[in-house]
Amino acid sequence: MTRLSRLLVPTLREDPADAEVVSHKLLVRAGMMRQVARGIYDLLPLGLRAVRRFENIVRDEMDRAGAQEILMPAVIPAELWRESGRWEQYGRELLRLKDRYDRDFCFGPTHEEVVTDLIRREVRSYRDLPKNLYQIQVKFRDEVRPRFGLMRGREFLMKDAYSFHVDVEDARREYRNMFDTYGRIFERCGLTFRPVEAGTGTIGGSLSHEFQVLASSGEDAIVSCDRCGYAANVEKAEVRPLAAPAGGAGGTLERVATPGKRSVEEVSAFLGLPPERFVKTLVYRTAGDATVAVLVRGDHEASETKVQAALGGEPVALADEGAVTRATGAPVGFAGPVGLGVRILADASLRGMRGAVSGANRADEHVVNLDLERDVPDLAFADLRQARGGDRCPRCEGGTFAEHRGIEVGQVFLLGTKYSETMGATFLDAAGTQRPIEMGCYGIGITRTIAAAIEQHHDDAGIIWPTPLAPYGALVVPLAAADAQLGETAERLAAELEAAGVDTLLDDRDERPGVKFKDADLIGLPVRLTVGPRALARGAVELKRRSDKQATEVPVAEAAARAAALVGPRLSAGA
């Protein structure tokens, strides 16, 4: 057993001032983590035990699936990233370092380059394949706005796996193997989750799914069909093109004054026209420093994932104010497609749009009676908008999207030969021909999943740990430290629980019962046994699951066995 009096668990009664989401507040208040710098945290004993529990579930399932654990360096030489082309593409989220010899390195946010380099040096023949290698490693992404505690920190723990194959068919087999493995991992954690189709982002590849833990506080919006079950991130989800809004009359393109009105909502109210009659012009910069304008309907949002795909996979980001002004000749909020001297992509739902409103590329002015076919000829159309609840499903007849919030905790990618071709990772096939290795990669956010579990499992009093992730299985609370009989009974119950395979925390502190109960609810262990004088006089103790409202009296002789049955078998925390 572990004695709470000897454990570093500095609980707090008030929420930290800088915490926005529940998991951040409760992990700090429950004494499980402390901030060192923005987005960088100490994990204290209880927090680390929860992390170790999840790591061990991940290891158990990855090993069962045939993957092999390795450990790669956190600090990576720039040469490898330059080979793949990502040194220039990745942007400022990549933490770049120089050693004493002025050589460039980075603190790895992902390890595709390192593992590809390992395989190209060791694999020669088709007989050496397939391989699936994974690690659990500290990563670093220099987020511009780190927030939400472990949900979006700069330093984090991640499980990343990489598979290598002789052909696409075998790579798809392993992709399915990892997809199923992830399902088992999150089911074992007691989490409600949904796998959804997703974009590949800076990782690259041709196919990807995210695993989303469903929670109202989730950063990601996802949609799912109420009929066929198709589900995807709103950035990735396919949508059926909408017909152009009715009532769009023709007319001469005309400038109108819109002083100080920049947003669609402001101009819509000013002109008395609905947002769906607007053409919104968004200016992007590509990784190659080109400027691209993207047009979407005024009531729609552009999907950066789809824009990137339409540009052949080149990463994009919204242009800053200076770049917008240089491209349009106007301040932000007044961009429009007419006369714009940059490449333009238009969402498919704008096809046939007439009588529309857009920016005039001049401060405090918009244009009305915009006819895209007439005024912006030769437009390239594509699916560029985010999906939303109420959209018709593209995969079935009659299905409609419902929208949910989720926290992405894992993602699987079919990479193809993106890295093996650029880095020369090849093998000799059975015919003696040299071919690039087919690859997949598979990530799980270890610390992020712990935060997501709390977002999904909590109440006003504190954390309600899913049993597989809880730092300890049971808490034994004697109500008076000075009462020898209570203390002896609590010690005996804790020992019996440990003998039954339940890792147990004994609250042996000299504190008031109210303090102990508040801390018990805040820390949120699955089962609590309370040893009090009145119940003990009747030969009983109180048994309470953290998720229950009321405690139940049980005979002392049965208490440990009944508590152990509620907790069930658990892997070692390894801490």
Side-chain angles (χ1 to χ4, degrees):
M1 79 187 77
T2 301
R3 299 177 185 277
L4 189 53
S5 62
R6 299 177 186 174
L7 207 58
L8 179 61
V9 188
T11 58
L12 304 172
R13 292 291 167 253
E14 300 296 328
D15 291 336
D18 61 337
E20 299 178 52
V21 296
V22 167
S23 59
H24 189 182
K25 295 173 184 177
L26 292 180
L27 282 165
V28 172
R29 285 187 53 207
M32 297 185 184
M33 78 176 195
R34 289 293 185 266
Q35 181 171 298
V36 177
R38 291 184 67 222
I40 302 173
Y41 299 92
D42 287 322
L43 285 177
L44 305 190
L46 290 181
L48 183 60
R49 282 184 70 91
V51 166
R52 292 287 183 254
R53 288 208 172 279
F54 182 48
E55 285 182 357
N56 287 343
I57 291 172
V58 170
R59 282 191 174 95
D60 193 49
E61 290 296 340
M62 290 297 293
D63 293 348
R64 173 184 168 190
Q68 306 169 57
E69 186 171 9
I70 62 172
L71 185 61
M72 292 178 278
V75 177
I76 303 169
E79 288 81 4
L80 294 178
W81 276 65
R82 289 190 175 111
E83 278 192 68
S84 71
R86 291 207 298 169
W87 184 262
E88 293 77 21
Q89 292 175 0
Y90 206 87
R92 298 184 67 183
E93 288 186 353
L94 185 66
L95 181 62
R96 301 162 201 259
L97 317 167
K98 285 186 181 291
D99 69 5
R100 66 174 65 196
Y101 304 107
D102 207 35
R103 293 178 298 209
D104 290 323
F105 289 81
C106 65
F107 198 121
T110 62
H111 276 68
E112 285 81 4
E113 287 83 0
V114 178
V115 75
T116 303
D117 176 60
L118 171 64
I119 289 295
R120 73 180 173 181
R121 288 184 282 115
E122 305 302 331
V123 168
R124 295 286 178 267
S125 165
Y126 69 96
R127 295 186 182 90
D128 300 324
L129 298 170
K131 291 284 187 293
N132 189 334
L133 306 176
Y134 79 94
Q135 66 169 351
I136 295 176
Q137 171 68 287
V138 174
K139 310 282 191 184
F140 195 96
R141 290 196 186 107
D142 203 0
E143 297 273 0
V144 63
R145 284 182 295 275
R147 54 183 184 158
F148 302 161
L150 296 184
M151 288 238 297
R152 187 168 287 281
R154 293 194 292 167
E155 184 181 274
F156 52 95
L157 277 170
M158 183 175 172
K159 188 284 299 178
D160 48 322
Y162 307 89
S163 65
F164 302 85
H165 310 271
V166 297
D167 55 33
V168 173
E169 182 180 358
D170 193 56
R172 286 185 174 273
R173 174 201 57 77
E174 188 64 10
Y175 184 95
R176 188 72 225 184
N177 181 31
M178 288 293 98
F179 184 96
D180 293 341
T181 298
Y182 277 32
R184 291 195 302 270
I185 287 170
F186 296 119
E187 283 172 8
R188 283 182 59 177
C189 292
L191 300 175
T192 303
F193 68 96
R194 175 168 279 161
V196 301
E197 291 187 11
T200 57
T202 57
I203 300 294
S206 58
L207 175 66
S208 180
H209 284 82
E210 293 170 344
F211 286 75
Q212 295 273 354
V213 168
L214 302 183
S216 59
S217 59
E219 286 185 287
D220 293 332
I222 58 179
V223 289
S224 61
C225 176
D226 59 8
R227 187 165 184 170
C228 72
Y230 169 67
N233 189 299
V234 296
E235 285 275 327
K236 170 67 174 177
E238 302 163 16
V239 293
R240 293 180 184 241
L242 300 175
T252 304
L253 189 69
E254 182 181 347
R255 294 182 183 273
V256 294
T258 53
K261 311 301 182 186
R262 296 171 180 265
S263 70
V264 170
E265 292 75 15
E266 290 171 340
V267 182
S268 172
F270 184 73
L271 297 179
L273 293 171
E276 58 266 27
R277 296 289 301 279
F278 282 65
V279 174
K280 186 161 50 177
T281 304
L282 302 165
V283 180
Y284 287 88
R285 299 288 287 178
T286 71
D289 212 27
T291 300
V292 179
V294 173
L295 310 183
V296 294
R297 221 169 72 174
D299 58 333
H300 292 162
E301 299 297 329
S303 162
E304 204 165 283
T305 296
K306 293 179 180 180
V307 172
Q308 180 174 325
L311 295 173
E314 188 175 10
V316 297
L318 280 170
D320 59 26
E321 189 170 347
V324 171
T325 300
R326 288 191 297 274
T328 68
V332 172
F334 300 98
V338 178
L340 195 58
V342 301
R343 182 180 179 184
I344 302 176
L345 299 174
D347 180 62
S349 293
L350 292 176
R351 196 184 295 273
M353 178 73 86
R354 302 175 66 202
V357 180
S358 76
N361 296 323
R362 188 179 296 180
D364 296 327
E365 287 188 6
H366 283 72
V367 297
V368 296
N369 299 324
L370 173 67
D371 181 328
L372 282 179
E373 185 176 351
R374 177 193 68 196
D375 301 319
V376 194
D378 302 321
L379 267 181
F381 291 93
D383 175 12
L384 299 175
R385 73 174 176 92
Q386 294 181 10
R388 61 184 183 182
D391 283 339
R392 292 184 302 141
C393 178
R395 299 285 180 90
C396 71
E397 291 298 326
T400 302
F401 282 161
E403 194 164 341
H404 315 275
R405 304 300 300 182
I407 302 166
E408 180 205 331
V409 291
Q411 191 165 6
V412 293
F413 301 84
L414 191 65
L415 290 177
T417 58
K418 172 181 176 177
Y419 293 92
S420 56
E421 285 188 344
T422 58
M423 297 185 68
T426 61
F427 71 100
L428 290 177
D429 65 15
T433 303
Q434 195 165 29
R435 293 165 48 193
I437 299 172
E438 295 284 340
M439 291 177 58
C441 73
Y442 321 94
I444 289 179
I446 299 293
T447 41
R448 186 177 175 87
T449 299
I450 294 302
I454 295 170
E455 293 292 330
Q456 194 176 83
H457 295 272
H458 69 273
D459 61 15
D460 291 342
I463 301 168
I464 306 175
W465 283 109
T467 298
L469 300 180
Y472 290 88
L475 175 67
V476 179
V477 183
L479 292 185
D483 188 314
Q485 187 179 13
L486 297 186
E488 289 170 4
T489 303
E491 294 266 357
R492 186 169 70 253
L493 289 172
E496 290 174 4
L497 281 164
E498 289 280 349
V502 178
D503 48 333
T504 302
L505 184 60
L506 175 64
D507 189 352
D508 60 338
R509 298 173 300 166
D510 186 12
E511 292 282 3
R512 300 186 309 276
V515 171
K516 292 190 173 190
F517 287 146
K518 282 187 177 295
D519 282 348
D521 284 344
L522 182 59
I523 292 168
L525 302 184
V527 172
R528 184 179 81 211
L529 286 174
T530 303
V531 185
R534 293 180 183 176
L536 193 59
R538 297 189 290 272
V541 295
E542 286 188 347
L543 171 63
K544 182 180 181 296
R545 291 196 300 185
R546 175 63 182 85
S547 56
D548 292 341
K549 297 296 183 185
Q550 301 296 326
T552 303
E553 278 197 5
V554 297
V556 173
E558 301 175 12
R562 290 177 63 171
L566 292 176
V567 174
R570 280 157 53 85
L571 289 175
S572 167

